[in-house]
Amino acid sequence: MFSVDHKVIGRQYLDLALVAVFTGMVLSWLMRFHLGWPDTPIPGLGKIAPGGAAGGVMTPEYYLALMTMHGTIMVFFVLTTAPFAGFGNFLLPIQVGAEDMAFPRINMMSFWVTLVAFLVLVAAFFVGDQPPLSGWTAYAPLSAVGKDAGPGQGWGQTLWAISIGIFCIAQLLGSLNFIATTLDLRTRGMSLARMPMATWAWFITAVIALVAFAVLMPACILLILDRVAGTSFFIPGGLVISDQLQPHTGGSPLLWQHLFWFFGHPEVYVAILPGFGIVSQILPVFARKPLLGPKVFIACLAAIAFLSYTVWGHHMFLSGMNPFSATLFSVPTLVITIPAAIVTLLWIGTIYGARLRFTSASLFALGFVSVFVSGGISGFFLAQPSTDIYLHGTYFVVAHFHFVMGVAAMFGIFAGTYFWFPKMFGRMMSETLGKWHFWLTFIGVYCIFMPMHYLGLAGNVRRYSAFTDDYLQPLIPLHRFITIAALVTGAAQLIFLYNLIRSRLRGPQAPDNPWEATTLEWSTSSPPPHDNFGGRRPVVTQGPNEYAVAGPGGRDYIMQAESR
Amino acid sequence: MGRLFAVVVTAIALVSVTLFALHTWWLPPDISTHGGRIDSQLNETMIVAGILFVAAQLALGVFVWRFGERGGTRATWPVRIFPGGATPMVVIATVLVGIEILVLTLVGSKVWASVYQSPPPPGALQIDVLAEQFAFYFRYAGADGKFGVIHPEKMSDADQNFFGLDPATDTTARDDIVVATLVVPANQPVALRLHAKDVNHSFYVREARIQQDFVPGMVIPLHFTATTPGRYELVCTQLCGLGHYNMRAYVEVKSPAEFGQWLKAQQPAF
Amino acid sequence: MTTALAPPPPAPPAVPVATGLGRPASSRVAETGVWIGIGAISMTFAALTSALVVRASDAPDWHHLHLPALLYINTLVLLGSSLTLETGRRHPGRAPLALSLTTILGGLFVMGQVIAWRQLMTQEIGGPSSAFFYVLTALHAAHVLGGMSGLVYVRHRMRAGVVSFVPYNAASLYWHFMAVLWLYLLTLLTLRG
Ligand code: HEM
Ligand SMILES: [Cu+2]
Ligand SMILES: [Cu+2]
């Protein structure tokens, strides 16, 4: 259990993410059901949450609590833990030819601290008053003033802030390991230029995460102090809540927003860049040809990492910050679409002239490209202050971020799972079930999230627990369609779960290199021995992109640790 | 499998853009002087984004169709590199997206500036807006043209003193008019000042193409001109607590004559 | 559809672990880790600095803080501890002694900070500037405590007979950074606090 082996830690992270993602998904079902049929009781819910959903019909505050938990769990405990901490931990040391991470004990701590953060968050569900309901962004002063502001502003919100603060520490420890390992533990011959694309992505993600979480952590401390110690970092004077004049002066609500989004925007890249790397590594394997422009790809990652720190204000165009800075923030936001567009074209160009093989992994990688395009395009609308005036705060935003970071990152996780499962567990997953999973999920996510753009254009506001006004009533049928699509797509995830469990127990034995790939993890056994390469370290003789070449034994590829 | 993928991706792309293009679900008609420019900015973005979206999805579909293995046999055709390698990709993305950015920023920032970076036109009607959990209140200056001073400690829902006025000592406050519906004259600029009493809220009128957060501790100016008489919804778009979904008021746009009558008929708050 | 399985690849040519890199991995990695940590810690304090500047700008309730004089003595103690650590590096024979001395001085520094907090608490009625004072100094003290446990660990390794200065150098890098960070915080609190 308390292993310092990076492979065990990586699997622990992935298991945690699996628990978290199903929790988050069930929460989204409840939300979606309520939005489609607000007055129909949900069987059993009344028993689980007698306070929040007496008789199975949830209260507005319970809806918001589910939404807050859903967003927080998904962003922090799924999209940060699985693609970055989970796959990165398992694979990064092997891909650079190391025996383990640079600081195995710190690495182990990173996981257990993450688990504590998760348990603290889950505890917020069960504390005396209500679970927190300020959304995953926890805007102050709602999140800071405490009980007077209504249900969910007591212990629940404090636990939320504590959980996120702890989570930051865990990810700082993890990122430190990723960076040090990549810099110092590469095996002989593994120059930076020969590193696999996924390793590059995890490395750059770690740099982003190090800076981002180092900022969110003190912000959480200040928030907690405002809540429990009576300070006024984020709470201005003269607030009257429930007819009570609040005993605070001089704090700045916008300060929280600036700190949060300085973290928050880079965080969405923490969620998606590992997917970039995973796809860039998987596509060439199944296209049987090298990635188009690997150096360009790395340069784009670096550009995105740098730009990600300059764009946070695009979440705050209408927040009351200086309107001149809106234009300033809009420019880098639009500029960041250039490297993203280049990367997309590189993937599409890689498929050109390929001998494309279809497996669950490659299908999800192709699906990733499609959904990433869909999500990226809607960014054009939100990046311009002028069009954001209308679209901000509507379902258009929900559609955008679900495609670009939610679904795209999930597709990256799925692709990575189907691809590396044989290496992790020494057994193959069922391809038939995997393909069913892909088709249902691919069509399903479009049915769920594409219509949300239409809702947004029609002016449907987000974070509403019910649509009571005359204006939104005509949109209810579209909401019902989305709900049904969400339930069906969710059910399709059970196929994935079943496939995971069954293959882990009874899948056919996996060979060392089932996909005919080049990177180092495929030249050791499946699963790899404790020290990864059995007492020896590989010597790398070429880059990761040697496909469509005359390899030894008539193969069309050369592995990184092979000589020509 | 490749053909199936191509067909599905193409179908998704075409159905999606068709529903956009048909305006099956679309913005309500604009009723403001600046909204037309926002709408045309949105339309322009929609066209460019639509083209890029379809082009990318189709390219993906076509390549997967063309270069995918069929029916379980290993492909034997020669592998080819994209003509020109990565360079055309960089050039295409940089030039296309770059031009798009330039145009959008140059045009779009003007609309933005006209609403958010310029003072209200002289002679604009001053109205104070107060947002609280979970209602909006509006204040007109009354006969003296002056607003009474806001005293947070005097704010009270129980006494219906939403703005925290002090009519006992503050003479300018006595004739202030406080109402729960925002009534504005058509074709006359209105200048709002947004006050938040407790937490963040937001001011969103779809038809007027206007949205702005309320931030506690700040007084945020906002101005617009409505053109078409009618009754429109004003909703809160910033999460403010359990009643957020139900936090709404109405904007009534009246002809200037009707507006004058309406204003005359209002009783001062005290 | 079906995946043709490749023949198992020939065993990769491999070399013994010790020569995996030009020099043994551990010689560099501890110091690299400290540098990365310094980056993250700097970012945390940079965030708090910008928070302080934003919060202090035209806030009616901001009162300049009169720092307790004890802080200057604490400063001397911390700088002194950096010196003792450096002496140990120059004179390897005295390294264990230097480590112990530095740890003790570090402990004195933290104790001094705690006393300074007490003094401030009796004077001040908790304005925003003192709130920042508590947050900044407490976070710094926590990092100093972390550094002290590092020193104890290095001392322990020396006792176990490991004659490597690699961890010693990494620990002193961190410790000197703590001193620099404290000087920065003191300046910030004096000028803007
Ligand atoms: C199973 C598919 C999913 C469905 C049906 C779904 C549905 C929803 C719904 C209904 C909301 C509330 C929207 C609102 O009222 O504003 C929401 C919010 C959110 N979702 Fe999802 N979601 C799904 C997956 C994901 C994933 C994979 C992520 C990971 C990024 C994610 C992240 C979020 C976030 C960050 C929010 C915002 C929460 C907030 O407003 O504070 N969701 N989702
Ligand atoms: Cu962002
Ligand atoms: Cu609200």
Side-chain angles (χ1 to χ4, degrees), chain B residues 201 236 238-240 244 247:
Chain B
H201 301 277
C236 176
Q238 189 61 264
L239 180 54
C240 55
H244 172 55
M247 176 165 169

Side-chain angles (χ1 to χ4, degrees), chain B residues 111-179:
Chain B
V111 196
W112 170 261
S114 76
V115 185
Y116 288 87
Q117 293 179 4
S118 54
L125 173 67
Q126 292 284 338
I127 305 174
D128 259 8
V129 186
L130 181 100
E132 64 169 58
Q133 291 178 324
F134 301 97
F136 297 97
Y137 295 100
F138 310 94
R139 178 165 72 139
Y140 300 76
D144 64 353
K146 291 200 185 100
F147 287 104
V149 179
I150 294 177
H151 303 277
E153 71 280 4
K154 291 212 169 355
M155 283 184 182
S156 161
D157 285 357
D159 304 344
Q160 305 249 310
N161 191 353
F162 304 112
F163 278 85
L165 301 181
D166 181 17
T169 57
D170 180 0
T171 49
T172 57
R174 288 181 196 157
D175 64 347
D176 285 5
I177 296 164
V178 176
V179 289

Side-chain angles (χ1 to χ4, degrees), chain A residues 129-134 141-158 227, chain B residues 133 240-241:
Chain A
D129 50 352
Q130 284 263 340
L133 51 65
S134 313
L142 179 63
S143 62
V145 283
K147 274 202 159 48
D148 283 353
Q153 299 308 328
W155 263 103
Q157 186 65 43
T158 306
R227 296 186 53 78
Chain B
Q133 291 178 324
C240 55

Side-chain angles (χ1 to χ4, degrees), chain A residues 347-372:
Chain A
W347 291 325
I348 296 177
T350 301
I351 303 167
Y352 176 91
R355 293 171 178 167
L356 193 55
R357 296 177 182 174
F358 296 103
T359 60
S360 310
S362 71
L363 284 170
F364 271 108
L366 295 170
F368 177 99
V369 178
S370 171
V371 293
F372 181 71

